[in-house]
Amino acid sequence: MHDALADAAHRLLASGDLPPSGGVPATVLLTMTLDQLETRTGHVTTAHGGTISVHQALKEAGEANIVPVVIGEEGILAYGQDRRTATTHQRLALTARDGGCCFAGCDAPPGWTQVHHILNWAHGGGTDLTNLCLLCGFHHREHEKRGWQVVMKHGRPWWIPPAHVDPDRKPIRNTLHDPVAVTV
C-alpha cells in the first residue's frame, strides 16, 4: 500500500497539475565540506539551518534540484551542478526510446515511470539521455537491492541479471514496448 501511495504521489508531482512555486522547481541547498562531498558521509546543513545526513539529503531530494555548496576555510570552493531532474524534452525522448519501464519484462507504461540515472547523479552521473532510462516505481526502488545492473548498449538500456538468476550474467533488454527489438 505504501508503494502505491508513493507511486501516486510521484505521478501527481510529475503531472504538472500542481500550482507553480514561484516559477522554479523545489531546490534543496546543501552546505557541506569537501570531505563530506567526496566521502558522501557526515551531516550537511540545509538552507533553513537544519542538519541531515548526506545520504538522507540526497535520497529525500528526489525530484528536486540539488545544489551542493562546498565550503572550505577560503570560502565557497564549489557551487555544484543543480540539474538532477530530466527536462520535459528529455522525458519525451525517453518515452519514445524506452516506451515505458525498461526493466526486462515490465509492461508499465510511460506515465507510470520515473527517470532513473544509470550512474547515480550523486556519484557524478550526468542528466543526459545516455545516462537515463525510465523505470516504474517498483523497479526504481528494487533493482539494485535485488542485484540487477543497468548498462547502455547501442543507445538503449540493457539489464545484467544477478548471478543467481543467470550465472553467465548475459545482458537482456525489455522488448515489450519496442516493435523493433535490437539483439546483441
Side-chain angles (χ1 to χ4, degrees), residues 113-183:
T113 62
Q114 301 165 6
V115 177
H116 171 70
H117 285 79
I118 294 169
L119 173 59
N120 191 309
W121 183 88
H123 295 111
T127 305
D128 312 303
L129 291 176
T130 57
N131 189 48
L132 300 174
C133 63
L134 296 180
L135 290 176
C136 68
F138 175 78
H139 289 119
H140 202 189
R141 287 185 300 276
E142 297 293 323
H143 77 275
E144 285 181 347
K145 294 177 196 172
R146 296 170 186 254
W148 288 81
Q149 179 184 2
V150 62
V151 296
M152 291 298 284
K153 294 176 82 171
H154 311 292
R156 295 181 182 261
W158 289 72
W159 290 89
I160 300 173
H164 70 274
V165 173
D166 176 10
D168 296 328
R169 301 197 71 205
K170 181 181 178 190
I172 55 176
R173 193 172 82 75
N174 188 350
T175 58
L176 293 177
H177 308 290
D178 187 358
V180 182
V182 176
T183 58

Side-chain angles (χ1 to χ4, degrees), residues 2-171:
H2 173 268
D3 290 346
L5 180 61
D7 285 343
H10 282 287
R11 290 181 67 195
L12 175 63
L13 289 171
S15 73
D17 292 337
L18 294 175
S21 59
V24 296
T27 300
V28 178
L29 185 66
L30 306 174
T31 306
M32 64 187 78
T33 66
L34 182 58
D35 182 57
Q36 289 172 315
L37 179 65
E38 290 173 344
T39 64
R40 309 261 190 250
T41 61
H43 287 80
V44 300
T45 305
T46 68
H48 296 288
T51 59
I52 56 177
S53 72
V54 171
H55 173 76
Q56 188 65 27
L58 296 174
K59 181 179 175 186
E60 292 295 325
E63 295 300 315
N65 286 339
I66 303 172
V67 182
V69 179
V70 181
I71 305 287
E73 290 180 14
E74 302 83 29
I76 295 177
L77 301 176
Y79 184 80
Q81 66 188 78
D82 67 342
R83 192 70 179 148
R84 179 181 186 275
T85 57
T87 66
T88 300
H89 295 308
Q90 286 174 315
R91 174 83 181 182
L92 292 171
L94 290 169
T95 297
R97 185 192 70 199
D98 297 348
C101 180
C102 71
F103 190 86
C106 186
D107 64 356
W112 293 4
T113 62
Q114 301 165 6
V115 177
H116 171 70
H117 285 79
I118 294 169
L119 173 59
N120 191 309
W121 183 88
H123 295 111
T127 305
D128 312 303
L129 291 176
T130 57
N131 189 48
L132 300 174
C133 63
L134 296 180
L135 290 176
C136 68
F138 175 78
H139 289 119
H140 202 189
R141 287 185 300 276
E142 297 293 323
H143 77 275
E144 285 181 347
K145 294 177 196 172
R146 296 170 186 254
W148 288 81
Q149 179 184 2
V150 62
V151 296
M152 291 298 284
K153 294 176 82 171
H154 311 292
R156 295 181 182 261
W158 289 72
W159 290 89
I160 300 173
H164 70 274
V165 173
D166 176 10
D168 296 328
R169 301 197 71 205
K170 181 181 178 190

